[in-house]
Amino acid sequence: MSDQKTEKMAIAKAINESLRQALEADPKVLVMGEDVGKLGGVFRVTDGLQKDFGEERVIDTPLAESGIVGTAIGLALRGYRPVVEIQFDGFVFPAYDQIVTQLAKMYARSLGKVKLPVVVRIPYGGGIGAVEHHSESPEALFAHVAGLKVVSPSNASDAYWMMQQAIQSDDPVIFFEPKRRYWDKGEVNTESIPGPLHRARVVREGTDVTLVAYGPMVKLCLEVADAAAEEGRSLEVLDLRSISPLDFDSVQASVEKTRRLVVVHEAPVFLGSGAEIAARITERCFYHLEAPVLRVGGYHAPYPPARLEESYLPDLDRVLDAVDRSLAY
Amino acid sequence: MTVESTAARKARRSAGGKAGATGTEPAGSAGEAGAGADPADKGTGTAGAKRTASTGRTTRAGKTAGTAGTTRATGTSGGKRAASKPRAAKKAAGKPAASTAADEHDLVQLLTPEGERVENAEYDPYVADLTPEDLRGLYRDMVLTRRFDAEATSLQRQGELGLWASLLGQEAAQIGSGRATRPDDYVFPTYREHGVAWCRGVDPTNLLGMFRGVNNGGWDPNSNNFHLYTIVIGSQTLHATGYAMGIAKDGADAAVIAYFGDGASSQGDVAESFTFSAVYNAPVVFFCQNNQWAISEPTEKQTRVPLYQRARGYGFPGVRVDGNDVLACLAVTKWALERARRGEGPTLVEAFTYRMGAHTTSDDPSRYRHDDERVAWEAKDPIARLRAHLTAANHTDEGFFAELEDESEALGRRVREAVRAMPDPDHFAIFENAYADGHALVDEERAQFAAYQASFADAEGGK
Ligand SMILES: Cc1ncc(C[n+]2csc(CCOP(=O)(O)OP(=O)(O)O)c2C)c(N)n1
C-alpha cells in the first residue's frame, strides 16, 4: 500500500473521513441528525459533509430523537443506509423505544426478509466536565438487546474502519464514539482493513495480568500497563472493539496465558458488560484462573456532577489497585 | 516517564490524598455543544500528569486541571455561512414557513420597539392596573436579570463555570411571563429560564451549581414552586401537564406554566403533553420561547406552520406574542393562566423573540447565522424599549437609573463572590441520594470507595 494512504488524524476526523468515503461510495448512504449539517455537529464530526454532499444526503433533522431513528428505519426499509447521530449519550433515550422495539427486531419479525442497515452514532462517556446527560455510558443497555450490534473504537484507525464496516453491515449497529478521545491522533491507513469488525485485538502483550477494555478506557489501560511495567509487572491489554458480539475467544486466549483478568469500563459495574465477561471467562477458563475476574467501572449511582467525575471514573490508581488485588491471590 | 512513574506511584500511595481533595480548578469546558477541550490544551495524558504531579490525591486535582478551562474555539474551518440570507428574506418564498409576513399582525404587541404604547382591547385589561412603580419593577427585573446573565457568561470565560446558557435577548419573555405567575402556580423551566427563576424568588446563585459542576440541580423545587432545570429537551412539558392534572384533581385553582424552545416543539414529549393537557383539560400554559434557533437549526427546520397555530389541532388556543415586549408577555400570560385557573384548559403561548448570544458558551453561532440578523433584532431590544416608554411617560428620573446601575453592580459582585466560594462537593456525594430508601449495593460500593480512599491515608500514615 502506498504511503500517501497513511495519514495521521484525530478520531473525530477519522470518522469524518470515513463518512465522506461512505457517502462517496454509495448514493444510498445518508447522514442524519441534529446540527450535523451547517454546524458539522457539536463535535464537528460531520464537518463539511453537507457542503460537499448537499442537504439531501446530509440532513439537519428536527430536534426529535425518536423521529430521527424512526424515520431512519423507514428510509432503510426503502433501501437507504442511514447513519444517524444522537448528539450526546443521554439523549438517546427518547429514541430508545424505536431502537429496541423496532430497529432491533424487524429482521427477525420479517423472517429475514427486511434488513435494517442503520448506524446509530453516539458520542459517549465522561471525562469532559459536562453537565448532566452528557457523560453516560449506556452500552450495556443496548448490548442486552438481541438484534443490535454494539461497537466502540478506541483509536483513529478503528474509528475509520469500524465505521466503514458498520455502514456496510446489514444489521443495525450502535456505534459508540469515545468523545473524550475525539482529538487523540493516530495513523490511519485508508487502504487496508485492519481486521473484522467484531474481533478484539491485543494492543499490548504481557504475561502477568490481562486488562480488557474498549473505547475510552483502552488508552487508560495502556497507561496502566506502562506504570505497572515500572514495577516489574507485565500487563496484556486487550481492546474489545466490539461489545456485541463480544470476542470471548480472544479474551480466553489471553487469560489462558496470563491467568488473571481485570475488566475496565466507565459504565456502572453492576450488570455491565464486565459482568458478562467475568461470567463467561469464569465458565471457559475456570481451571486457568489464579484469581477471580475483577471489574473496575462506575458506581451504582447517577453520573455525578463534573467536579466529582474524576472520583467516579476509573483512573490509573483504581486500575492499578485492581491489578494489585488480582496478583495478591 | 517510566522512572518517574514508579516514583510517582509510590509517592501517591504514601502521600495519602484525603478523600475530597479535588482541585479548585473549573469543571472543564464541556457542555451542550462543542463540548470538550482542545487536545492541544490538555495535559499529555492521565499517566503523564500523575507521574509528574507527585503528591497523592492532588494528582487527581492535577488531572482535573489538565482538562479544565479549555473552551474549544469551535470554528475549525470555514467561518461564516456564506449563502445564508437574513430570515426575513425567506418570507417571499411562497411556501409555508414558520414566520410569514401574513402572521406578523397576529403578533400581540403592547409596546412598539420604539417604546410607544399600542392599544389592544383584548389584552390591555391584563396590564391596566400596572402602576408606574410596577413598570419600573419590570424594568428593574430585566436589567438585573441581564446583569446576572452577563456575570455568569464572564464567569464561564474565566473558568469558574463549565458552561453557561445565556438568556440575552429573552428578558422580556421571561420577566413578563414570570411576573404573571402567582406564588401557588408551578413553573417547569428548561435550562435557560434565569429570568423566570428571578421572578420566582430563586436565589440566582442557586442556578449556577449545575453549570459549575458541583451538583445536578441544586435547589428545592418546592420552596419556590420552580422545578429543576431540565436538560433533556421537552421532557418537562409532560411533567407540567401531569402536575396540572393533579391540581385539577385536587380542585385547586393554581395553574402550571411549562417553558420550552422552538426546537423542543419537535419532540414527541411535547406533542404528547399537548394531547394529554387537551384531553384532561389540564390547567397548564405552554410557554414556547421561539428564539429562532435550536443550536444551529432555524425554526424552519422544526415546523412549517407558525408554532402558535399548532395548538388549534389539539383543541386549545395558541397566541403569538412579541417576546421582546414585556407588557405583552405579561398580559398574554396572565390571560392564559387565568383561563387555566377557571378550568378552561391549556393554552400555547409562543413568545416570538431572539437569542442574541450563542446557544451556550460552547457554541459558535458564526458558523450558522449571519450577524445582520442579530443586528436587526438589536433594534427590538426589550430593555431599551421599556426604558423609552418609561422616559417618555415621565415615570422615572435619572436617579432611578443610577440606583439600578449600582444595584446591578452589587448583584454582579455578589454572584461572583458566591460562585468563587462555592465548595466542591465531598467525594461521597457520589453515593448520596441515589435512592430515597437506601440500597444495599450502593452501601457496599460506598464502603469499598471509603476503604480505597483510606488506603491512601494509611500509606501516608505509614510514611
Ligand atoms: C433530547 C435532547 N436532544 C438533544 C439535546 C441537545 N440540545 C440541547 S439544547 C438544543 C437546542 C434546543 O433548542 P430550543 O428547544 O429551540 O431551545 P433554546 O436552546 O433555543 O432555548 C439541543 C439540540 C438535548 N439537550 N436533549
Side-chain angles (χ1 to χ4, degrees):
Chain A
M1 60 221 72
S2 61
D3 274 352
Q4 288 96 314
K5 289 294 172 189
T6 296
E7 206 187 310
K8 199 166 179 141
M9 58 179 98
I11 288 181
K13 178 70 178 162
I15 299 169
N16 179 281
E17 286 295 328
S18 193
L19 292 173
R20 172 176 295 280
Q21 162 63 28
L23 284 161
E24 256 163 28
D26 181 354
K28 293 294 185 188
V29 171
L30 304 173
V31 169
M32 302 166 57
E34 295 158 12
D35 303 293
V36 299
K38 289 221 167 59
L39 189 65
V42 295
F43 291 104
R44 309 292 180 259
V45 170
T46 54
D47 198 19
L49 297 180
Q50 190 183 66
K51 198 168 115 268
D52 296 341
F53 295 95
E55 294 188 20
E56 289 293 321
R57 306 281 312 279
V58 179
I59 304 166
D60 269 331
T61 65
L63 206 181
E65 287 77 7
S66 181
I68 293 170
V69 173
T71 56
I73 291 171
L75 283 158
L77 291 172
R78 180 69 193 175
Y80 285 88
R81 303 185 90 86
V83 183
V84 309
E85 175 177 299
I86 299 294
Q87 204 158 70
F88 276 88
D89 35 58
F91 308 144
V92 69
F93 296 105
Y96 195 64
D97 168 38
Q98 285 289 344
I99 293 173
V100 171
T101 65
Q102 306 303 323
L103 186 61
K105 295 186 167 58
M106 209 79 85
Y107 184 68
R109 289 178 58 222
S110 68
L111 307 180
K113 297 288 180 265
V114 168
K115 293 174 185 155
L116 292 181
V118 175
V119 178
V120 181
R121 297 180 38 236
I122 308 177
Y124 83 120
I128 62 161
V131 293
E132 67 170 348
H133 310 300
H134 291 71
S135 304
E136 319 245 315
S137 300
E139 60 271 18
L141 296 176
F142 294 90
H144 192 67
V145 177
L148 302 176
K149 291 180 171 176
V150 181
V151 303
S152 179
S154 71
N155 59 61
S157 171
D158 277 350
Y160 182 88
W161 283 108
M162 289 168 70
M163 180 59 75
Q164 293 290 307
Q165 293 163 321
I167 293 170
Q168 280 153 21
S169 168
D170 280 336
D171 287 311
V173 179
I174 312 297
F175 197 93
F176 281 104
E177 300 172 5
K179 69 168 91 82
R180 72 153 117 168
R181 308 290 187 216
Y182 266 148
W183 303 283
D184 286 4
K185 287 191 173 163
E187 292 291 339
V188 179
N189 181 327
T190 51
E191 279 196 336
S192 74
I193 301 178
L197 178 58
H198 302 293
R199 170 142 345 129
R201 187 167 51 229
V202 175
V203 287
R204 179 182 171 120
E205 305 240 10
T207 51
D208 295 342
V209 179
T210 298
L211 296 182
V212 159
Y214 50 85
M217 289 289 98
V218 173
K219 183 176 178 185
L220 174 70
C221 288
L222 288 170
E223 289 162 358
V224 168
D226 275 347
E230 293 316 306
E231 297 173 351
R233 284 165 181 176
S234 164
L235 305 191
E236 179 144 307
V237 180
L238 204 72
D239 179 356
L240 281 183
R241 301 170 73 250
S242 174
I243 302 154
S244 176
L246 205 148
D247 179 2
F248 290 105
D249 291 345
S250 293
V251 184
Q252 177 173 351
S254 178
V255 170
E256 284 176 358
K257 180 167 72 161
T258 65
R259 297 170 167 262
R260 289 181 164 82
L261 175 60
V262 175
V263 187
V264 184
H265 54 59
E266 288 188 17
V269 163
F270 183 65
L271 290 175
S273 44
E276 182 62 38
I277 296 168
R280 295 268 173 165
I281 291 304
T282 304
E283 283 172 17
R284 287 179 174 222
C285 307
F286 189 70
Y287 293 107
H288 285 98
L289 284 167
E290 299 282 352
V293 179
L294 299 179
R295 291 165 289 160
V296 182
Y299 301 107
H300 191 65
Y303 193 89
R307 298 253 173 168
L308 288 178
E309 68 178 344
E310 296 295 334
S311 299
Y312 175 92
L313 290 168
D315 65 3
L316 190 79
D317 295 331
R318 274 175 64 200
V319 183
L320 283 172
D321 196 69
V323 168
D324 286 353
R325 278 188 285 130
S326 177
L327 284 162
Y329 278 89
Chain B
M1 166 181 184
T2 47
V3 175
E4 238 173 17
S5 303
T6 315
R9 183 157 179 240
K10 283 190 180 129
R12 162 185 61 85
R13 296 232 160 147
S14 59
K18 59 203 179 318
T22 44
T24 51
E25 288 77 12
S29 63
E32 283 291 327
D38 191 292
D41 298 330
K42 279 203 173 191
T44 45
T46 323
K50 288 210 169 191
R51 302 295 102 160
T52 45
S54 59
T55 49
R57 274 295 186 259
T58 55
T59 59
R60 288 170 181 251
K63 198 162 117 190
T64 307
T67 56
T70 47
T71 299
R72 186 167 151 83
T74 38
T76 47
S77 70
K80 284 181 198 175
R81 175 166 68 128
S84 119
K85 287 186 205 128
R87 289 154 52 79
K90 289 189 183 168
K91 283 178 189 172
K95 46 184 179 173
S99 167
T100 63
D103 305 318
E104 295 297 333
H105 65 258
D106 290 338
L107 193 73
V108 177
Q109 188 179 70
L110 302 184
L111 274 184
T112 66
E114 294 72 38
E116 280 159 31
R117 184 73 167 75
V118 192
E119 281 187 22
N120 182 311
E122 207 177 344
Y123 293 105
D124 278 349
Y126 295 90
V127 289
D129 60 345
L130 289 183
T131 63
E133 197 185 342
D134 293 333
L135 291 175
R136 286 194 297 273
L138 292 171
Y139 183 81
R140 174 178 171 272
D141 287 338
M142 289 197 289
V143 168
L144 293 180
T145 298
R146 182 172 287 186
R147 182 68 181 84
F148 164 70
D149 185 71
E151 193 66 36
T153 301
S154 62
L155 283 165
Q156 194 282 333
R157 297 288 179 228
Q158 292 157 18
E160 298 287 346
L161 300 177
L163 180 81
W164 184 244
S166 167
L167 64 34
L168 185 65
Q170 299 178 221
E171 295 87 352
Q174 296 197 13
I175 300 300
S177 62
R179 284 291 171 218
T181 62
R182 272 186 352 204
D184 61 333
D185 293 337
Y186 214 102
V187 176
F188 287 84
T190 67
Y191 43 77
R192 206 191 288 283
E193 270 67 76
H194 322 312
V196 185
W198 172 265
C199 294
R200 299 298 298 179
V202 176
D203 186 322
T205 61
N206 284 348
L207 306 176
L208 299 171
M210 71 183 284
F211 292 102
R212 185 172 171 85
V214 301
N215 59 47
N216 282 333
W219 60 89
D220 173 4
N222 291 324
S223 58
N224 300 74
N225 283 9
F226 184 80
H227 190 67
L228 298 168
Y229 277 180
T230 299
I231 286 183
V232 180
I233 299 292
S235 292
Q236 76 283 359
T237 56
L238 280 167
H239 311 156
T241 299
Y243 195 99
M245 288 161 63
I247 288 178
K249 279 185 193 307
D250 294 344
D253 84 332
V256 172
I257 183 164
Y259 289 85
F260 59 102
D262 48 310
S265 71
S266 297
Q267 287 284 358
D269 277 5
V270 173
E272 292 180 26
S273 73
F274 287 1
T275 298
F276 274 69
S277 63
V279 165
Y280 295 108
N281 205 41
V284 57
V285 175
F286 296 104
F287 196 90
C288 176
Q289 286 172 85
N290 177 358
N291 66 10
Q292 313 300 326
W293 293 91
I295 309 188
S296 73
E297 300 189 6
T299 312
E300 284 81 0
K301 279 280 183 282
Q302 316 292 340
T303 181
R304 302 302 288 170
V305 299
L307 283 171
Y308 74 98
Q309 290 180 4
R310 289 233 182 130
R312 196 185 307 161
Y314 289 88
F316 55 87
V319 182
R320 177 178 275 182
V321 59
D322 184 335
N324 286 19
D325 172 353
V326 71
L327 286 191
C329 289
L330 176 66
V332 169
T333 313
K334 260 192 166 168
W335 163 78
L337 286 166
E338 285 180 14
R339 258 193 100 244
R341 291 195 192 99
R342 283 195 304 269
E344 291 170 25
T347 307
L348 171 61
V349 177
E350 178 192 359
F352 203 74
T353 181
Y354 193 72
R355 185 192 88 207
M356 296 300 290
H359 169 68
T360 68
T361 44
S362 293
D363 176 40
D364 172 13
S366 72
R367 287 182 69 102
Y368 54 82
R369 74 183 190 190
H370 249 302
D371 222 32
D372 310 359
E373 184 185 276
R374 193 183 53 77
V375 170
W377 276 89
E378 251 164 31
K380 306 181 193 174
D381 185 80
I383 294 184
R385 185 182 303 203
L386 185 56
R387 185 176 176 129
H389 177 68
L390 287 172
T391 310
N394 263 332
H395 285 333
T396 52
D397 52 33
E398 278 311 310
F400 168 76
F401 294 116
E403 264 173 45
L404 187 53
E405 184 62 35
D406 290 347
E407 198 181 353
S408 289
E409 283 317 303
L411 175 67
R413 270 195 309 278
R414 177 164 85 81
V415 166
R416 174 169 301 259
E417 280 157 20
V419 165
R420 292 203 168 138
M422 220 176 255
D424 278 354
D426 182 273
H427 286 240
F428 288 89
I430 289 173
F431 304 98
E432 275 167 28
N433 303 315
Y435 294 89
D437 291 339
H439 189 291
L441 176 62
V442 176
D443 295 342
E444 186 187 320
E445 290 189 348
R446 187 196 291 109
Q448 282 166 2
F449 182 79
Y452 172 66
Q453 297 287 342
S455 72
F456 294 99
D458 290 350
E460 174 162 89
K463 178 162 78 162

